[in-house]
Amino acid sequence: MIVRRSLLLSTLALPALAQTPWAPNRPMRMVVPFAPGGAADTIGRVIAEQLAVLLGQPMTVENRPGGGTTIGAVAVARAPADGHTLLYATPNVQILNPHLMRSLPYDPVADFAPVIAVLKAPKLLVVRPDFAARDIPGLIALARREANALTFASAGVASSGHLAAAMLGQMANVEMLHVPFRGTAPAVQEVMGGRVDFMMDNIATLLPLVRDGRLRALAVSTAEPAAAAPELPTVAATLPGYHDASFNYLLAPGRTPPEVIAVLNATVNTILDQPAMRARFEALGIEKLGGTPQALAAMVREESDRWGPVIRRGGITAE
């Protein structure tokens, strides 16, 4: 899909770009390493649309699903390092895949240049409405009665929901049975139907079902309460130190010049500060991030150090 300026709000402006040492001189592309229609694809397209307006060039959104995001990542890693190609990344690309896969077709550090963190999204831990446990201590107590008696669903082996629940089990020192599905939708159906006990997934997906009474939320995964559901306790209130939030960010090919990264970073910061963008994020229960490329690089290192031990202890590998 090619996004042109006429499709977007004309009120956005970035006057400083006129004085910058770099500006794109031909159409750009954003690679999304997922199929169309998912949460990452949706937000990636919104960012791409507004980049087209502010940078004055059309931008193609190119979906490259498969290989646990490696297909899309390779496409960007091998692209010219001139600012005209971006990757809309999730933690798989640099944080999880190096621990989940024996070998990668790219260097997770050298082949990419950090641009900016876009957003983070809490997860909810949900059960069916009549489930016995009313809170996280109750859930852990059920799990302690018998190893693997408690079951949890996920969108697949090594999915973010799988890893979040695995970390909970490790920190609580309980064994629970993982029941993977091919996607979030069937996992949700099995929890609502009572065939699996609980699941953890993004708040944007699960909160509407909680509000409708089809699921019951026990807690949020972030260290602090979620703005979209401030009434819910955190997992960390029971397991101090627990924290999990899916975050999305932008990468450019490695060796992209600093002056190019600076323009891209400033432009996306401007996009994230737009009231319409903030309102859209709030409606989905997600938090905008922004900041510097250096802050993003530090976040990636910190998250990699945190998830590596969880994946190794759980013996988790990508399918």
Side-chain angles (χ1 to χ4, degrees):
M1 179 189 76
I2 296 180
V3 180
R4 299 185 184 278
R5 281 183 275 184
S6 59
L7 298 177
L8 299 165
L9 296 174
S10 60
T11 55
L12 296 175
L14 195 63
L17 283 184
Q19 287 77 44
T20 57
W22 177 83
N25 56 20
R26 62 181 186 277
M28 303 173 68
R29 67 169 176 155
M30 178 183 290
V31 175
V32 177
F34 300 98
D41 177 66
T42 299
I43 299 298
R45 287 175 182 273
V46 173
I47 300 294
E49 288 173 354
Q50 300 199 18
L51 277 170
V53 170
L54 296 180
L55 294 177
Q57 290 288 344
M59 174 169 276
T60 299
V61 177
E62 184 177 311
N63 294 93
R64 290 284 194 96
T69 72
T70 61
I71 292 175
V74 168
V76 174
R78 294 177 180 172
D82 58 9
H84 289 80
T85 301
L86 295 172
L87 177 68
Y88 192 82
T90 62
N92 298 75
V93 175
Q94 294 179 296
I95 297 165
L96 302 179
N97 284 348
H99 301 294
L100 291 168
M101 300 180 178
R102 291 183 179 180
S103 62
L104 285 175
Y106 58 84
D107 186 309
V109 177
D111 283 346
F112 302 101
V115 176
I116 192 169
V118 174
L119 63 87
K120 69 175 181 180
K123 290 184 178 65
L124 293 185
L125 191 155
V126 296
V127 297
R128 66 182 183 274
D130 63 346
F131 189 67
R134 310 300 298 183
D135 51 27
I136 297 299
L139 187 80
I140 293 171
L142 287 177
R144 285 178 174 160
R145 292 179 185 177
E146 182 181 349
N148 290 324
L150 200 66
T151 58
F152 68 92
S154 82
V157 173
S159 65
S160 63
H162 176 196
L163 297 177
M167 182 165 65
L168 186 153
Q170 291 175 16
M171 293 184 68
N173 197 29
V174 296
E175 295 181 15
M176 303 179 295
L177 181 63
H178 177 216
V179 185
F181 293 90
R182 291 187 178 275
T184 299
V188 168
Q189 291 297 322
E190 294 302 295
V191 174
M192 288 195 299
R195 291 173 288 276
V196 185
D197 294 321
F198 77 95
M199 70 179 295
M200 298 183 72
D201 212 301
N202 287 339
I203 191 169
T205 300
L206 297 179
L207 188 58
L209 299 173
V210 172
R211 299 289 193 229
D212 288 347
R214 287 181 283 176
L215 290 171
R216 180 160 49 86
L218 301 189
V220 296
S221 65
T222 42
E224 301 296 331
E231 72 280 7
L232 293 177
T234 64
V235 176
T238 301
L239 299 172
Y242 185 96
H243 171 73
D244 174 58
S246 298
F247 74 98
N248 296 174
Y249 57 107
L250 286 174
L251 296 171
R255 302 172 304 283
T256 299
E259 62 270 22
V260 175
I261 296 296
V263 171
L264 294 169
N265 177 271
T267 308
V268 179
N269 268 311
T270 296
I271 291 168
L272 295 177
D273 284 338
Q274 294 296 321
M277 181 63 76
R278 291 199 302 269
R280 187 166 195 155
F281 280 11
E282 289 171 5
L284 294 172
I286 58 183
E287 178 184 339
K288 76 103 173 175
L289 293 176
T292 66
Q294 294 76 20
L296 171 58
M299 183 187 302
V300 168
R301 289 192 298 269
E302 179 182 332
E303 289 290 295
S304 180
D305 291 343
R306 194 160 64 86
W307 284 108
V310 174
I311 291 168
R312 289 191 294 272
R313 180 177 172 183
I316 302 169
T317 58
E319 289 187 321

mmCIF file of all heavy atoms in Angstrom, residues 274-304:
data_model
loop_
_atom_site.group_PDB
_atom_site.id
_atom_site.type_symbol
_atom_site.label_atom_id
_atom_site.label_comp_id
_atom_site.label_asym_id
_atom_site.label_seq_id
_atom_site.Cartn_x
_atom_site.Cartn_y
_atom_site.Cartn_z
ATOM 1 N N GLN A 274 1.175 14.110 18.784
ATOM 2 C CA GLN A 274 -0.075 14.646 18.256
ATOM 3 C C GLN A 274 -1.248 14.204 19.129
ATOM 4 O O GLN A 274 -1.353 13.033 19.508
ATOM 5 C CB GLN A 274 -0.293 14.167 16.825
ATOM 6 C CG GLN A 274 0.717 14.695 15.824
ATOM 7 C CD GLN A 274 0.644 16.208 15.683
ATOM 8 O OE1 GLN A 274 -0.447 16.781 15.698
ATOM 9 N NE2 GLN A 274 1.790 16.843 15.549
ATOM 10 N N PRO A 275 -2.170 15.115 19.487
ATOM 11 C CA PRO A 275 -3.323 14.746 20.316
ATOM 12 C C PRO A 275 -4.125 13.578 19.743
ATOM 13 O O PRO A 275 -4.585 12.716 20.496
ATOM 14 C CB PRO A 275 -4.151 16.035 20.337
ATOM 15 C CG PRO A 275 -3.155 17.126 20.146
ATOM 16 C CD PRO A 275 -2.130 16.561 19.199
ATOM 17 N N ALA A 276 -4.281 13.532 18.421
ATOM 18 C CA ALA A 276 -5.037 12.439 17.818
ATOM 19 C C ALA A 276 -4.353 11.095 18.046
ATOM 20 O O ALA A 276 -5.028 10.081 18.279
ATOM 21 C CB ALA A 276 -5.223 12.689 16.326
ATOM 22 N N MET A 277 -3.031 11.086 17.981
ATOM 23 C CA MET A 277 -2.306 9.849 18.219
ATOM 24 C C MET A 277 -2.415 9.432 19.684
ATOM 25 O O MET A 277 -2.630 8.253 20.003
ATOM 26 C CB MET A 277 -0.844 10.015 17.815
ATOM 27 C CG MET A 277 -0.002 8.753 17.998
ATOM 28 S SD MET A 277 -0.558 7.375 16.968
ATOM 29 C CE MET A 277 0.070 7.873 15.377
ATOM 30 N N ARG A 278 -2.261 10.378 20.592
ATOM 31 C CA ARG A 278 -2.387 10.057 22.014
ATOM 32 C C ARG A 278 -3.781 9.502 22.320
ATOM 33 O O ARG A 278 -3.920 8.530 23.071
ATOM 34 C CB ARG A 278 -2.109 11.289 22.866
ATOM 35 C CG ARG A 278 -0.661 11.743 22.824
ATOM 36 C CD ARG A 278 -0.340 12.636 24.011
ATOM 37 N NE ARG A 278 -1.192 13.810 24.057
ATOM 38 C CZ ARG A 278 -0.897 14.965 23.482
ATOM 39 N NH1 ARG A 278 0.237 15.101 22.805
ATOM 40 N NH2 ARG A 278 -1.725 15.999 23.583
ATOM 41 N N ALA A 279 -4.797 10.105 21.739
ATOM 42 C CA ALA A 279 -6.164 9.636 21.973
ATOM 43 C C ALA A 279 -6.359 8.224 21.424
ATOM 44 O O ALA A 279 -7.034 7.396 22.052
ATOM 45 C CB ALA A 279 -7.166 10.598 21.323
ATOM 46 N N ARG A 280 -5.757 7.952 20.269
ATOM 47 C CA ARG A 280 -5.879 6.610 19.680
ATOM 48 C C ARG A 280 -5.217 5.573 20.574
ATOM 49 O O ARG A 280 -5.756 4.493 20.808
ATOM 50 C CB ARG A 280 -5.233 6.609 18.292
ATOM 51 C CG ARG A 280 -5.437 5.322 17.518
ATOM 52 C CD ARG A 280 -5.070 5.511 16.063
ATOM 53 N NE ARG A 280 -5.579 4.440 15.239
ATOM 54 C CZ ARG A 280 -5.837 4.547 13.952
ATOM 55 N NH1 ARG A 280 -5.660 5.692 13.340
ATOM 56 N NH2 ARG A 280 -6.284 3.514 13.257
ATOM 57 N N PHE A 281 -4.047 5.889 21.083
ATOM 58 C CA PHE A 281 -3.358 4.964 21.972
ATOM 59 C C PHE A 281 -4.160 4.737 23.255
ATOM 60 O O PHE A 281 -4.280 3.608 23.740
ATOM 61 C CB PHE A 281 -1.967 5.506 22.310
ATOM 62 C CG PHE A 281 -0.940 5.274 21.228
ATOM 63 C CD1 PHE A 281 -1.297 4.840 19.975
ATOM 64 C CD2 PHE A 281 0.405 5.489 21.491
ATOM 65 C CE1 PHE A 281 -0.353 4.621 18.982
ATOM 66 C CE2 PHE A 281 1.372 5.273 20.515
ATOM 67 C CZ PHE A 281 0.986 4.836 19.257
ATOM 68 N N GLU A 282 -4.684 5.818 23.829
ATOM 69 C CA GLU A 282 -5.457 5.693 25.063
ATOM 70 C C GLU A 282 -6.684 4.815 24.860
ATOM 71 O O GLU A 282 -7.041 4.019 25.740
ATOM 72 C CB GLU A 282 -5.876 7.082 25.561
ATOM 73 C CG GLU A 282 -4.714 7.902 26.117
ATOM 74 C CD GLU A 282 -5.108 9.338 26.403
ATOM 75 O OE1 GLU A 282 -6.314 9.659 26.255
ATOM 76 O OE2 GLU A 282 -4.222 10.129 26.777
ATOM 77 N N ALA A 283 -7.325 4.929 23.715
ATOM 78 C CA ALA A 283 -8.502 4.111 23.432
ATOM 79 C C ALA A 283 -8.161 2.627 23.377
ATOM 80 O O ALA A 283 -8.997 1.774 23.696
ATOM 81 C CB ALA A 283 -9.141 4.549 22.115
ATOM 82 N N LEU A 284 -6.929 2.317 22.985
ATOM 83 C CA LEU A 284 -6.473 0.926 22.900
ATOM 84 C C LEU A 284 -5.835 0.436 24.192
ATOM 85 O O LEU A 284 -5.451 -0.730 24.293
ATOM 86 C CB LEU A 284 -5.470 0.774 21.749
ATOM 87 C CG LEU A 284 -6.028 0.982 20.341
ATOM 88 C CD1 LEU A 284 -4.895 1.001 19.321
ATOM 89 C CD2 LEU A 284 -7.031 -0.110 19.993
ATOM 90 N N GLY A 285 -5.685 1.332 25.171
ATOM 91 C CA GLY A 285 -5.058 0.938 26.431
ATOM 92 C C GLY A 285 -3.553 0.845 26.371
ATOM 93 O O GLY A 285 -2.936 0.205 27.218
ATOM 94 N N ILE A 286 -2.933 1.490 25.363
ATOM 95 C CA ILE A 286 -1.484 1.413 25.227
ATOM 96 C C ILE A 286 -0.857 2.782 25.505
ATOM 97 O O ILE A 286 -1.527 3.802 25.472
ATOM 98 C CB ILE A 286 -1.076 0.909 23.831
ATOM 99 C CG1 ILE A 286 -1.642 1.808 22.726
ATOM 100 C CG2 ILE A 286 -1.528 -0.520 23.634
ATOM 101 C CD1 ILE A 286 -1.341 1.323 21.322
ATOM 102 N N GLU A 287 0.420 2.775 25.792
ATOM 103 C CA GLU A 287 1.130 3.984 26.197
ATOM 104 C C GLU A 287 2.164 4.362 25.150
ATOM 105 O O GLU A 287 2.960 3.536 24.711
ATOM 106 C CB GLU A 287 1.819 3.743 27.537
ATOM 107 C CG GLU A 287 2.635 4.914 28.052
ATOM 108 C CD GLU A 287 3.368 4.593 29.341
ATOM 109 O OE1 GLU A 287 2.953 3.645 30.044
ATOM 110 O OE2 GLU A 287 4.371 5.270 29.637
ATOM 111 N N LYS A 288 2.176 5.607 24.752
ATOM 112 C CA LYS A 288 3.180 6.055 23.790
ATOM 113 C C LYS A 288 4.515 6.226 24.501
ATOM 114 O O LYS A 288 4.592 6.579 25.674
ATOM 115 C CB LYS A 288 2.737 7.346 23.109
ATOM 116 C CG LYS A 288 2.866 8.610 23.948
ATOM 117 C CD LYS A 288 4.074 9.422 23.548
ATOM 118 C CE LYS A 288 4.087 10.759 24.274
ATOM 119 N NZ LYS A 288 5.323 11.542 23.990
ATOM 120 N N LEU A 289 5.592 5.974 23.766
ATOM 121 C CA LEU A 289 6.926 6.067 24.347
ATOM 122 C C LEU A 289 7.695 7.240 23.753
ATOM 123 O O LEU A 289 7.765 8.299 24.325
ATOM 124 C CB LEU A 289 7.679 4.742 24.153
ATOM 125 C CG LEU A 289 7.105 3.561 24.947
ATOM 126 C CD1 LEU A 289 7.849 2.269 24.615
ATOM 127 C CD2 LEU A 289 7.156 3.826 26.440
ATOM 128 N N GLY A 290 8.285 7.082 22.586
ATOM 129 C CA GLY A 290 9.114 8.142 22.037
ATOM 130 C C GLY A 290 10.477 8.154 22.703
ATOM 131 O O GLY A 290 10.921 7.168 23.281
ATOM 132 N N GLY A 291 11.178 9.290 22.626
ATOM 133 C CA GLY A 291 12.504 9.398 23.214
ATOM 134 C C GLY A 291 13.603 9.298 22.180
ATOM 135 O O GLY A 291 13.377 9.436 20.984
ATOM 136 N N THR A 292 14.801 9.030 22.654
ATOM 137 C CA THR A 292 15.986 9.040 21.806
ATOM 138 C C THR A 292 16.345 7.656 21.292
ATOM 139 O O THR A 292 15.931 6.642 21.863
ATOM 140 C CB THR A 292 17.190 9.586 22.589
ATOM 141 O OG1 THR A 292 17.512 8.642 23.646
ATOM 142 C CG2 THR A 292 16.893 10.946 23.203
ATOM 143 N N PRO A 293 17.165 7.576 20.228
ATOM 144 C CA PRO A 293 17.672 6.269 19.798
ATOM 145 C C PRO A 293 18.488 5.583 20.886
ATOM 146 O O PRO A 293 18.452 4.360 21.019
ATOM 147 C CB PRO A 293 18.542 6.616 18.580
ATOM 148 C CG PRO A 293 18.005 7.915 18.078
ATOM 149 C CD PRO A 293 17.566 8.664 19.303
ATOM 150 N N GLN A 294 19.227 6.371 21.666
ATOM 151 C CA GLN A 294 20.049 5.803 22.737
ATOM 152 C C GLN A 294 19.174 5.151 23.808
ATOM 153 O O GLN A 294 19.516 4.086 24.343
ATOM 154 C CB GLN A 294 20.942 6.886 23.354
ATOM 155 C CG GLN A 294 22.000 7.435 22.417
ATOM 156 C CD GLN A 294 21.450 8.413 21.374
ATOM 157 O OE1 GLN A 294 20.361 8.975 21.540
ATOM 158 N NE2 GLN A 294 22.206 8.626 20.304
ATOM 159 N N ALA A 295 18.038 5.782 24.129
ATOM 160 C CA ALA A 295 17.127 5.198 25.116
ATOM 161 C C ALA A 295 16.545 3.887 24.608
ATOM 162 O O ALA A 295 16.382 2.925 25.371
ATOM 163 C CB ALA A 295 16.010 6.189 25.439
ATOM 164 N N LEU A 296 16.233 3.830 23.319
ATOM 165 C CA LEU A 296 15.735 2.587 22.733
ATOM 166 C C LEU A 296 16.788 1.497 22.807
ATOM 167 O O LEU A 296 16.492 0.357 23.190
ATOM 168 C CB LEU A 296 15.306 2.811 21.290
ATOM 169 C CG LEU A 296 14.971 1.548 20.487
ATOM 170 C CD1 LEU A 296 13.862 0.744 21.145
ATOM 171 C CD2 LEU A 296 14.591 1.918 19.051
ATOM 172 N N ALA A 297 18.027 1.812 22.466
ATOM 173 C CA ALA A 297 19.099 0.809 22.512
ATOM 174 C C ALA A 297 19.266 0.266 23.921
ATOM 175 O O ALA A 297 19.457 -0.946 24.116
ATOM 176 C CB ALA A 297 20.404 1.426 22.015
ATOM 177 N N ALA A 298 19.179 1.139 24.921
ATOM 178 C CA ALA A 298 19.306 0.698 26.311
ATOM 179 C C ALA A 298 18.137 -0.205 26.703
ATOM 180 O O ALA A 298 18.312 -1.207 27.420
ATOM 181 C CB ALA A 298 19.386 1.913 27.232
ATOM 182 N N MET A 299 16.939 0.125 26.238
ATOM 183 C CA MET A 299 15.768 -0.693 26.534
ATOM 184 C C MET A 299 15.907 -2.089 25.942
ATOM 185 O O MET A 299 15.581 -3.092 26.588
ATOM 186 C CB MET A 299 14.512 -0.020 25.982
ATOM 187 C CG MET A 299 13.218 -0.747 26.305
ATOM 188 S SD MET A 299 11.765 -0.037 25.455
ATOM 189 C CE MET A 299 11.839 1.651 26.057
ATOM 190 N N VAL A 300 16.393 -2.150 24.709
ATOM 191 C CA VAL A 300 16.577 -3.451 24.060
ATOM 192 C C VAL A 300 17.575 -4.307 24.846
ATOM 193 O O VAL A 300 17.348 -5.497 25.073
ATOM 194 C CB VAL A 300 17.030 -3.255 22.603
ATOM 195 C CG1 VAL A 300 17.511 -4.576 22.004
ATOM 196 C CG2 VAL A 300 15.894 -2.678 21.768
ATOM 197 N N ARG A 301 18.685 -3.713 25.276
ATOM 198 C CA ARG A 301 19.671 -4.470 26.051
ATOM 199 C C ARG A 301 19.076 -4.965 27.367
ATOM 200 O O ARG A 301 19.278 -6.123 27.762
ATOM 201 C CB ARG A 301 20.903 -3.595 26.323
ATOM 202 C CG ARG A 301 21.760 -3.319 25.097
ATOM 203 C CD ARG A 301 23.094 -2.704 25.486
ATOM 204 N NE ARG A 301 22.932 -1.405 26.151
ATOM 205 C CZ ARG A 301 22.923 -0.236 25.511
ATOM 206 N NH1 ARG A 301 23.055 -0.207 24.182
ATOM 207 N NH2 ARG A 301 22.794 0.895 26.178
ATOM 208 N N GLU A 302 18.351 -4.104 28.055
ATOM 209 C CA GLU A 302 17.764 -4.461 29.345
ATOM 210 C C GLU A 302 16.749 -5.587 29.194
ATOM 211 O O GLU A 302 16.737 -6.540 29.989
ATOM 212 C CB GLU A 302 17.105 -3.228 29.957
ATOM 213 C CG GLU A 302 16.435 -3.482 31.300
ATOM 214 C CD GLU A 302 15.761 -2.237 31.848
ATOM 215 O OE1 GLU A 302 16.221 -1.115 31.533
ATOM 216 O OE2 GLU A 302 14.765 -2.379 32.579
ATOM 217 N N GLU A 303 15.896 -5.484 28.182
ATOM 218 C CA GLU A 303 14.883 -6.510 27.968
ATOM 219 C C GLU A 303 15.517 -7.842 27.568
ATOM 220 O O GLU A 303 15.069 -8.911 27.985
ATOM 221 C CB GLU A 303 13.893 -6.053 26.903
ATOM 222 C CG GLU A 303 12.976 -4.936 27.346
ATOM 223 C CD GLU A 303 11.976 -5.418 28.377
ATOM 224 O OE1 GLU A 303 11.126 -6.267 28.040
ATOM 225 O OE2 GLU A 303 12.047 -4.958 29.535
ATOM 226 N N SER A 304 16.561 -7.795 26.771
ATOM 227 C CA SER A 304 17.246 -9.028 26.377
ATOM 228 C C SER A 304 17.847 -9.723 27.597
ATOM 229 O O SER A 304 17.740 -10.952 27.747
ATOM 230 C CB SER A 304 18.335 -8.717 25.345
ATOM 231 O OG SER A 304 19.001 -9.900 24.959
#
